[in-house]
């Protein structure tokens, strides 16, 4: 179903099936297509309530029909991820599209800091199928193993997959060395066995400098 045309456009070939995509990301289609806005990130009322409580925002639409639909968002680079019954954790702003059969949800990823005790949540995708995630510049896939844990700047983090434990470390961030740090800054540390997707550009987010 999913294929890339260049690095910034996703083409999805449909034969009566459906795909979930970021609201407003459709740029063209041929054939017969029907579009429907999904509430709560496609998780219904329960998902809408959960996302409102956690602050994890995601607005999706369902596209169903016969033909090909093309998706893009602000000229972002697109990366295809295959799921074989496992789970993908992804920042909601970096999610472009998923197979309609994949389940989405929210997951608690840890505390921002012991001093404030604020929780962080991220979007989860699980099942069998494909997902398309976006990055600001070409994404880099970094391997994590028991011998080699990985520390990531929150502003560069996109997604992770596999049997990974995630923790937050307060202190100096990469930006501090450039004189751009301020407040309670932290890094994300991954341990276990899996992969982490990072982008070569930092976004401003609650997970960056706080």
């Amino acid at each position: 179903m999913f294929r890339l045309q260049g690095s910034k456009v996703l083409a999805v070939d449909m034969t009566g099936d459906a795909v979930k995509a970021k609201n407003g990301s459709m740029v063209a289609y041929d054939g017969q297509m029907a579009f429907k806005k999904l509430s709560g990130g496609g998780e219904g009322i329960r998902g809408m309530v959960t996302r409102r409580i956690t602050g994890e925002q995601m607005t999706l639409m369902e596209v169903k029909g016969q033909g090909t639909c093309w998706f893009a968002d602000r000229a972002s680079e697109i990366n295809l991820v295959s799921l074989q019954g496992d789970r993908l954790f992804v920042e909601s702003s970096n999610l472009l599209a998923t197979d309609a059969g994949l389940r989405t949800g929210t997951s608690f990823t840890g505390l921002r800091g012991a001093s404030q005790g604020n929780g962080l949540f991220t979007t989860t995708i699980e099942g069998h199928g494909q997902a398309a995630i976006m990055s600001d510049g070409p994404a880099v896939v970094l391997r994590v193993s028991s011998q080699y844990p990985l520390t990531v700047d929150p502003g560069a983090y996109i997604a992770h997959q596999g049997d990974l434990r995630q923790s937050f470390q307060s202190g100096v961030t990469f930006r501090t060395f450039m004189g751009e740090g301020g407040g309670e800054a932290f890094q994300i540390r991954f341990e276990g066995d899996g992969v982490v997707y990072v982008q070569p550009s930092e976004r401003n987010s609650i997970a960056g400098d706080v």
Side-chain angles (χ1 to χ4, degrees), residues 99-132:
D99 285 343
L102 290 173
R103 300 180 300 279
T104 57
T106 56
S107 176
F108 176 69
T109 58
L111 295 175
R112 192 175 72 191
S115 61
Q116 297 191 21
N118 292 335
L120 294 175
F121 296 82
T122 193
T123 292
T124 60
I125 305 168
E126 56 186 319
H128 291 82
Q130 285 185 297

Side-chain angles (χ1 to χ4, degrees), residues 82-175:
S82 295
L83 284 85
Q84 304 296 328
D86 52 332
R87 179 182 292 183
L88 174 72
F89 297 81
V90 59
E91 292 291 290
S92 57
S93 60
N94 292 100
L95 178 62
L96 178 63
T98 73
D99 285 343
L102 290 173
R103 300 180 300 279
T104 57
T106 56
S107 176
F108 176 69
T109 58
L111 295 175
R112 192 175 72 191
S115 61
Q116 297 191 21
N118 292 335
L120 294 175
F121 296 82
T122 193
T123 292
T124 60
I125 305 168
E126 56 186 319
H128 291 82
Q130 285 185 297
I133 59 177
M134 299 179 292
S135 57
D136 186 2
V140 177
V141 184
L142 301 176
R143 167 65 62 178
V144 181
S145 68
S146 57
Q147 293 84 12
Y148 297 99
L150 180 71
T151 302
V152 176
D153 188 311
Y157 167 80
I158 302 172
H160 70 272
Q161 189 176 17
D163 184 17
L164 293 177
R165 299 180 301 280
Q166 185 177 352
S167 60
F168 295 91
Q169 299 176 329
S170 296
V172 176
T173 67
F174 302 97
R175 273 179 287 181

Side-chain angles (χ1 to χ4, degrees), residues 25 34 81 83 86 101 150 156 178 188:
S25 63
V81 181
L83 284 85
D86 52 332
L150 180 71
M178 303 297 293
I188 310 175

